[in-house]
Amino acid sequence: MESYKKLLLANKAWVQDRMNVQPSFFEESSKTQKPEFLWIGCSDSRVPAEEVTGTEPGELFVHRNIANLVIHTDLNMLSVLQYAVEVLKVRHVIVCGHYNCGGVANAITHKHLGLINKWLRHIKDVYRFHDRELSAIPDGQARFDRLVELNVLEQVQNLAQTSIVQHAWQLEHAPTIHGWVYDLRSGYLKEIAMIKPGTPLDDIYRFEFDEADHS
Ligand code: CO
């Protein structure tokens, strides 16, 4: 059997399982969604957002890209963020990185990889911001692990600096922003940062909003 057919067969089995547990599952879930969480994670196939968090369909609004980056000119990410925050009114935004991230690994080489160089350039910037700390770590794996964490910390800051989040903090006193790292070696998530609504930012990033303002 061709590999892709396995997916379609598994889908049929999944529908049956769901219907056996809750006959109204699809009827209910087709009506609306009210997720409490936005997950911004890596595209890596080993970090399935719902599976590692034990969440069900309808609980996570998800955006994934290579190395879980929050780039302030990325219309895709910003559209997901705006919709999640302003329309769905999620209470928590989670940026989840993971150890042994291929995007981060490639960013710290000198390899020319084509278009993706431009995306991974943002991780090279993270390295430069934290060069002193990273260069002082002699062990290569430990330095790589720390860069994965620092990358998440930077993305958490990038989120808080968006006008979308700042405006929501003012209007709704939400969302809380979280930085997590998933450990492929153990399966555990590690909390490394949390920014509560209203936390002061570096002043240069602070926006003042008029009543009529939108993002
Ligand atoms: Co990755």
Side-chain angles (χ1 to χ4, degrees):
M1 183 176 26
E2 288 197 68
S3 58
Y4 76 90
K5 290 191 175 163
K6 200 176 72 175
L7 275 56
L8 296 168
L9 277 175
N11 168 256
K12 290 190 175 71
W14 175 74
V15 171
Q16 281 312 314
D17 285 352
R18 282 280 168 183
M19 297 286 277
N20 289 342
V21 174
Q22 186 190 348
S24 63
F25 177 80
F26 294 102
E27 195 190 327
E28 292 298 321
S29 75
S30 66
K31 287 178 189 157
T32 186
Q33 64 166 335
K34 192 77 189 81
E36 195 180 338
F37 311 98
L38 167 60
W39 173 278
I40 299 176
C42 185
S43 300
D44 193 301
S45 60
R46 299 164 296 177
V47 195
E50 289 85 355
E51 194 153 341
V52 305
T53 56
T55 44
E56 292 287 318
E59 290 190 89
L60 287 188
F61 202 64
V62 172
H63 177 80
R64 291 169 69 178
N65 62 41
I66 291 175
N68 41 271
L69 297 179
V70 175
I71 309 302
H72 66 83
T73 52
D74 176 0
L75 281 180
N76 186 349
M77 182 280 299
L78 290 171
S79 301
V80 171
L81 178 66
Q82 190 205 346
Y83 189 74
V85 169
E86 294 182 6
V87 180
L88 297 174
K89 299 196 185 301
V90 297
R91 303 302 293 178
H92 302 273
V93 180
I94 299 155
V95 179
C96 186
H98 66 102
Y99 296 123
N100 289 9
C101 180
V104 175
N106 277 298
I108 50 178
T109 71
H110 301 284
K111 280 185 227 160
H112 175 70
L113 297 166
L115 174 66
I116 196 173
N117 287 343
K118 301 182 196 319
W119 188 253
L120 299 181
R121 156 69 192 276
H122 297 285
I123 306 171
K124 291 183 185 284
D125 291 340
V126 173
Y127 195 103
R128 180 168 57 84
F129 298 153
H130 300 277
D131 193 3
R132 188 182 300 231
E133 177 184 345
L134 289 163
S135 298
I137 303 172
D139 179 66
Q141 181 68 47
R143 191 164 60 245
F144 179 17
D145 286 356
R146 183 60 183 153
L147 180 57
V148 165
E149 294 173 0
L150 290 168
N151 183 47
V152 168
L153 294 174
E154 290 292 336
Q155 307 321 314
V156 161
Q157 289 297 325
N158 287 346
L159 270 175
Q161 288 158 3
T162 61
S163 55
I164 296 166
V165 166
Q166 289 185 42
H167 201 210
W169 279 3
Q170 189 172 307
L171 292 179
E172 312 271 351
H173 203 65
T176 300
I177 300 173
H178 304 261
W180 296 354
V181 177
Y182 175 72
D183 192 338
L184 292 170
R185 298 161 292 207
S186 70
Y188 285 110
L189 289 164
K190 180 172 160 187
E191 287 185 83
I192 60 166
M194 180 165 65
I195 308 186
K196 293 197 168 152
T199 300
L201 306 172
D202 281 350
D203 194 58
I204 196 69
Y205 296 109
R206 185 171 52 81
F207 292 109
E208 289 170 354
F209 299 99
D210 296 332
E211 278 306 303
D213 267 354
H214 280 283
S215 10

